[in-house]
Amino acid sequence: MQGYVMSRKKICVIGATGSIGSATLAIVRQFPEKFEVVGLGAHSRVEDLQRLVEEFSVPWAACTGISCCSEWKKTSRLLVGESAAQQLIEASDPDLVISAIVGIAGLAPTFYALNAGIDVLLANKESLVCAGELIKRMRDNASLRVGRLIPADSEHSSLDQLLHRQGRDQVRSLVLTASGGPFLHKPLSELKSVTPRIAVAHPTWQMGPKISVDSATMVNKALEVIEAYWLFEVDLDQIDVIIHPQSIVHALVEFHDGAIFAHLSTPDMRGPLSYGLGIEGQRLPNVMRPLRLADVGALTFLQLDNERFPAIALARQCVERGGTAPAIFNCANEEAVELFLQNELRFVDIVPFIEETLQCIEATSYGSVEDLVEVQMKVASLKSEIVRRCNHG
Ligand code: NAD
Ligand code: MG
């Protein structure tokens, strides 16, 4: 193969300064010959973004949370403002977008990329939860050239890998594992006094603050059930959740004959991210610490306790209701988590806040990303009222 230079995969990372963005760029550092970073986006951490842009010699950058920046060094172009992430994708023309923004803010750029025929490695589960129906409609439309949606969430990447050679018609169930978060065994009466600092300290994963709170309430797993529903197109009752505190088994597939396949690795997002970044199913070597099962000793599994973690049943109801119900669920959770992190809502009121919001706002059918942004604004406009209801409940 002398003289042959393999072209590098052009990637654009939106949400580059966060936990998933950093894990993605750690893989690029390890394999500079395989990836070219053509675009990096962040919200407001301009200095961190500038540092990354210089390190990876990136031609295009975007900051959605600012309207101008006089100190930006002119070695690369900086786009600013609300739709800067979409402009970044358009200008940088990548082979793959890594969608690593947190929350519904990731929806418009993710949708933009897919609609433009660009593959998306999706960490931002909130966008698929909110817009699953819209994205499915787009993917099913044979006249459109839609980008591929590649899961980055560890459970969904595991399922993708497990289903690689098997038809969906052979599947009895898909099982997502959940660590149970920091409060798996805490007496329910003590959850009232949980502080943000305790809630974000996840026992097995290092993650951003929002998903850490989501893991403690199990809303994360609720969002992941909806995510799996849209990604793998199985019936809702074929998607199960099981508690597995060690976070070594990330997902399981049960086939019709009774055989169960499991995916195991150390809990490290570089695993699913490198698989998703990888070129045509080629696994990148040595991205995770090797898993020594003898050191782990025992793997345990527990039934989900629906009284302790009611969010999953609630999410299932939202999928069944359809239309904007999953978006209302998601947006209510985003508001509730933000309020909790600011000490304005108790931890135990996060899921009741979602339930109250679903009572207040009627789910309707929708046809565009803008309709879902309206749902977000409606939820935001009701938040003080909902907090009052939670306090009196
Ligand atoms: P994080 O808080 O560490 O990072 C969030 C990133 O999004 C930052 O770069 C921030 O600048 C950007 N951002 C925040 N608000 C924005 C806005 N309004 N507009 C544009 N950009 C904005 O979060 P994270 O833990 O990296 O999670 C990112 C996404 O990946 C979430 O959807 C999360 O559920 C998902 N995810 C994370 C993990 C993990 O291990 N961290 C695992 C699976 C899935
Ligand atoms: Mg996950």
Side-chain angles (χ1 to χ4, degrees), residues 18-235:
S19 158
I20 290 290
S22 304
T24 305
L25 293 172
I27 299 165
V28 176
R29 261 182 217 110
Q30 199 179 343
F31 300 97
E33 74 288 0
K34 292 202 187 298
F35 304 104
E36 179 187 0
V37 186
V38 292
L40 287 177
H43 191 52
S44 51
R45 285 158 59 180
V46 184
E47 279 174 30
D48 291 350
L49 183 65
Q50 177 96 60
R51 214 171 304 124
L52 292 171
V53 160
E54 281 170 22
E55 179 187 348
F56 292 98
S57 307
V58 182
W60 290 95
C63 245
T64 40
I66 57 172
S67 52
C68 68
C69 181
S70 51
E71 63 270 31
W72 187 260
K73 297 189 192 128
K74 296 283 182 280
T75 45
S76 67
R77 295 282 303 278
L78 178 69
L79 302 157
V80 292
E82 221 173 286
S83 50
Q86 289 91 299
Q87 291 167 27
L88 175 75
I89 295 166
E90 187 182 13
S92 62
D93 189 25
D95 301 318
L96 180 73
V97 168
I98 293 80
S99 175
I101 291 175
V102 60
I104 193 175
L107 172 58
T110 301
F111 190 83
Y112 176 87
L114 290 172
N115 197 33
I118 303 169
D119 293 346
V120 172
L121 177 54
L122 184 78
N124 175 241
K125 64 194 89 185
E126 294 91 342
S127 48
L128 191 56
V129 167
C130 292
E133 215 173 290
L134 187 66
I135 291 173
K136 177 172 163 42
R137 237 178 285 145
M138 182 168 74
R139 290 165 94 191
D140 289 349
N141 185 337
S143 66
L144 296 176
R145 201 182 68 80
V146 178
R148 275 186 311 161
L149 198 50
I150 305 160
D153 218 342
S154 56
E155 299 77 1
H156 305 73
S157 170
S158 296
L159 290 172
D160 198 33
Q161 295 176 50
L162 289 166
L163 290 167
H164 193 55
R165 288 180 198 284
Q166 299 275 351
R168 297 298 133 86
D169 56 337
Q170 316 245 358
V171 169
R172 185 180 288 163
S173 68
L174 306 179
V175 186
L176 308 173
T177 59
S179 71
F183 309 131
L184 180 58
H185 301 297
K186 203 175 175 72
L188 288 177
S189 58
E190 289 177 22
L191 290 180
K192 289 193 178 99
S193 52
V194 160
T195 62
R197 193 179 52 80
I198 305 172
V200 298
H202 195 275
T204 50
W205 294 97
Q206 294 286 325
M207 308 181 288
K210 191 252 175 190
I211 185 175
S212 298
V213 176
D214 287 352
S215 299
T217 55
M218 206 62 91
V219 168
N220 182 49
K221 213 50 57 180
L223 298 174
E224 289 184 357
V225 167
I226 306 180
E227 185 186 11
Y229 176 75
W230 291 116
L231 277 173
F232 300 108
E233 299 187 357
V234 294
D235 293 341

